[in-house]
Amino acid sequence: MSKPIVAVVGRPNVGKSTLFNKIAGKRISIVEDTPGVTRDRIYVEAEWLNHHFHLIDTGGIEPESKEIIPAQMRRQAELAVETADVILFIVDGREGLTASDREIANMLRKSRKPVILTINKVDTRDSSPYLYDFYELGLGNPVEISSALGYNIGDLLDEIVAHFLNREDSDYDDDVVKVAVIGKPNVGKSSLINKILGEERVIVSEIAGTTRDAIDTPFTHKEDRYVFIDTAGIRRKSRVKENIERYSVIRSVTAVERADVCLLVIDALEGVTEQDKKIAGYSHENGKGLVIVVNKWDLVEKDTKTMNKYIKEVRNELAYCYYAPIIFVSAVTGQRTHQIIDTIKSVANQNATRLTTGLLNEIIGEAVLLNSPPSDKGKKLKIYYATQAGIKPPTFILFVNDKDLAHFSYLRYLTNKLRENFGFDGTPIRFILKEKTKGE
């Protein structure tokens, strides 16, 4: 299930950004360690009582204004509302109810989304003098907080996560393979799905960003059930001229979270771009199966070495996704598109592979004998035992004497040994290190 999305909306200067930062905490300034992955400051991942969610910040809404910037802020907030599962409507407890608050409330009621009316700037234990005026908005009992002082933030978060329990998510049975089709705009994602399905199930347009939201298309192939999650193209930040594209990024991230396998569609004429690296990073960091699909291959001038040269370039640019199979296709001619479904099925199976403990320790033991673990200042890494902790992605626990001695390069060596023996094509592999003494 993907993480819920919570949007913070309201007119300017009511303390939305302060509340956003308070909930986000230090996470707002952290850049992810995964190669190629960055976070847009418009949203962060937040957590409360083991509930994880995406928190969206928005510009203030000025309903009456026709000026360009306020109008854009209004549209941005409208898009956040369309995207969100829960809406935090922030009002000012010092100023009281305004005409703008009434206009925003009217818009929010039409959305039919859960709305939590939040009175901010209540900086004392006394209620806002305007508390009962806000009941006029018809949005239920307000929650009074001080985002600056942190007062009542816990109660507000309790209210937020309570709505998650009733949230409907378009999850499917366990035997349905969910496939997120990700990539920049205009690389042919929708056309590719249509070619595979053999029918026009998704609207195709030359206008970048036509697919605004994730669209689910269930289908059956040789008695196996799948669903394509077609996402809006993720655009490079400097080219995001419409606010709508920024929310498409968030929807694409949540589509990846829902998926078992991601199809990263790359334009053969452009090659791997910086944005492709970031998009691949969303799949990698979420532990999803990954298939790299190079589309528009029919437009590339080729000789006998072209494909091998292209594969080498992709591997160099997406080095951390070296496990992903690469397919060269044309959504227009149908070239090799028949290979995609079989590859998806294989990668989904690899992503869900579980090894017996005995077999796993046998392979790890052989690997250790072939290549002795590293040492530092006379102390040598010892691997006592291994067990599989989970699947999607395959995750293994290594019980060792000292985690600091387990160098990244040696873990990569063990990963490669597992791949040599069991495949794991198309899926990342994760290790968790736990220290124990030999006598334990």
Side-chain angles (χ1 to χ4, degrees):
M1 180 180 290
S2 60
K3 298 182 183 71
I5 297 173
V6 179
V8 183
V9 301
R11 60 186 175 83
N13 301 319
V14 293
K16 295 186 301 301
S17 295
T18 305
L19 178 61
F20 179 80
N21 291 333
K22 180 66 70 173
I23 295 176
K26 294 181 180 179
R27 292 172 182 265
I28 188 74
S29 61
I30 293 176
V31 177
E32 298 292 330
D33 291 331
T34 305
V37 180
T38 58
R39 295 297 193 187
D40 192 334
R41 291 297 179 87
I42 195 173
Y43 79 101
V44 294
E45 292 184 18
E47 177 187 354
W48 181 251
L49 301 178
N50 293 321
H51 292 277
H52 297 261
F53 57 96
H54 295 292
L55 185 68
I56 304 175
D57 192 14
T58 68
I61 305 174
E62 292 186 0
E64 307 270 333
S65 177
K66 301 299 181 183
E67 296 178 26
I68 293 176
I69 292 177
Q72 288 178 345
M73 293 165 72
R74 175 187 170 88
R75 180 57 183 148
Q76 178 176 325
E78 288 174 344
L79 290 164
V81 169
E82 293 171 11
T83 303
D85 298 294
V86 178
I87 301 161
L88 292 186
F89 176 26
I90 313 300
V91 294
D92 192 322
R94 294 177 188 166
E95 291 188 18
L97 185 61
T98 68
S100 292
D101 292 331
R102 292 187 180 92
E103 289 291 326
I104 296 168
N106 288 336
M107 181 187 79
L108 297 181
R109 281 197 300 270
K110 293 175 183 177
S111 73
R112 297 189 177 182
K113 301 284 183 70
V115 178
I116 301 173
L117 178 59
T118 307
I119 304 176
N120 193 24
K121 303 184 183 180
V122 183
D123 298 335
T124 68
R125 293 294 176 180
D126 297 326
S127 292
S128 164
Y130 305 104
L131 171 63
Y132 292 102
D133 294 343
F134 288 110
Y135 279 91
E136 178 187 325
L137 299 177
L139 294 173
N141 294 323
V143 179
E144 294 184 290
I145 68 165
S146 170
S147 56
L149 301 178
Y151 168 65
N152 235 15
I153 300 297
D155 288 351
L156 177 62
L157 288 165
D158 287 341
E159 186 76 15
I160 292 171
V161 300
H163 288 285
F164 298 164
L165 301 178
N166 299 320
R167 174 172 169 257
E168 293 183 5
D169 195 56
S170 52
D171 265 354
Y172 299 87
D173 294 339
D174 290 341
D175 63 338
V176 177
V177 178
K178 299 177 288 295
V179 184
V181 186
I182 58 178
K184 300 180 303 180
N186 285 356
V187 294
K189 298 186 299 298
S190 297
S191 298
L192 190 62
I193 292 175
N194 289 337
K195 178 61 68 173
I196 294 171
L197 296 175
E199 56 181 320
E200 295 295 321
R201 294 286 293 275
V202 182
I203 296 173
V204 181
S205 169
E206 292 300 318
I207 302 172
T210 298
T211 310
R212 298 303 194 190
D213 209 339
I215 302 170
D216 287 9
T217 307
F219 70 102
T220 302
H221 178 75
K222 295 180 180 178
E223 299 184 353
D224 295 317
R225 295 196 295 162
Y226 300 85
V227 59
F228 275 131
I229 307 170
D230 184 27
T231 63
I234 306 176
R235 307 188 76 170
R236 187 159 42 89
K237 283 187 218 173
S238 61
R239 294 180 59 191
V240 176
K241 296 180 181 178
E242 287 184 88
N243 284 319
I244 196 166
E245 296 289 357
R246 304 173 78 184
Y247 295 101
S248 294
V249 171
I250 298 171
R251 276 301 184 194
S252 296
V253 171
T254 59
V256 168
E257 291 172 352
R258 289 176 54 208
D260 300 305
V261 178
C262 294
L263 290 187
L264 173 61
V265 184
I266 293 173
D267 189 322
L269 298 177
E270 293 185 12
V272 179
T273 65
E274 288 301 313
Q275 189 64 2
D276 291 321
K277 296 177 186 178
K278 292 181 174 66
I279 297 168
Y282 290 133
S283 173
H284 179 77
E285 71 169 353
N286 279 280
K288 305 300 181 178
L290 179 64
V291 180
I292 299 171
V293 179
V294 182
N295 192 26
K296 306 182 185 180
W297 190 242
D298 56 311
L299 302 180
V300 175
E301 293 186 11
K302 295 178 280 290
D303 57 32
T304 55
K305 299 180 181 179
T306 303
M307 184 176 289
N308 287 336
K309 181 180 178 182
Y310 207 104
I311 290 173
K312 185 176 180 180
E313 290 176 356
V314 172
R315 294 298 184 208
N316 286 337
E317 295 295 330
L318 297 174
Y320 59 94
C321 295
Y322 66 96
Y323 51 80
I326 303 173
I327 306 176
F328 295 85
V329 307
S330 169
V332 174
T333 67
Q335 180 185 24
R336 296 191 192 89
T337 54
H338 64 280
Q339 296 180 8
I340 293 176
I341 295 299
D342 290 338
T343 305
I344 290 171
K345 180 179 180 179
S346 174
V347 168
N349 289 336
Q350 295 289 298
N351 190 239
T353 295
R354 188 178 292 277
L355 305 180
T356 64
T357 301
L359 188 57
L360 172 63
N361 281 275
E362 180 181 335
I363 298 304
I364 294 294
E366 289 178 358
V368 169
L369 290 175
L370 289 171
N371 184 1
S372 183
S375 60
D376 183 41
K377 297 178 181 179
K379 190 175 183 180
K380 187 175 182 180
L381 173 68
K382 295 180 181 179
I383 301 175
Y384 299 126
Y385 188 71
T387 186
Q388 185 164 0
I391 58 174
K392 296 184 180 182
T395 302
F396 303 96
I397 297 176
L398 296 180
F399 293 94
V400 300
N401 61 329
D402 189 339
K403 292 192 292 186
D404 294 337
L405 295 174
H407 193 269
F408 169 77
S409 60
Y410 196 76
L411 294 179
R412 184 169 57 183
Y413 162 72
L414 295 179
T415 298
N416 290 336
K417 283 299 178 183
L418 290 177
R419 293 190 188 281
E420 287 176 14
N421 285 274
F422 305 110
F424 290 117
D425 296 326
T427 179
I429 293 175
R430 291 178 177 170
F431 284 112
I432 298 172
L433 300 176
K434 290 191 176 182
E435 291 183 359
K436 61 177 289 188
T437 62
K438 193 169 183 179
E440 285 184 297

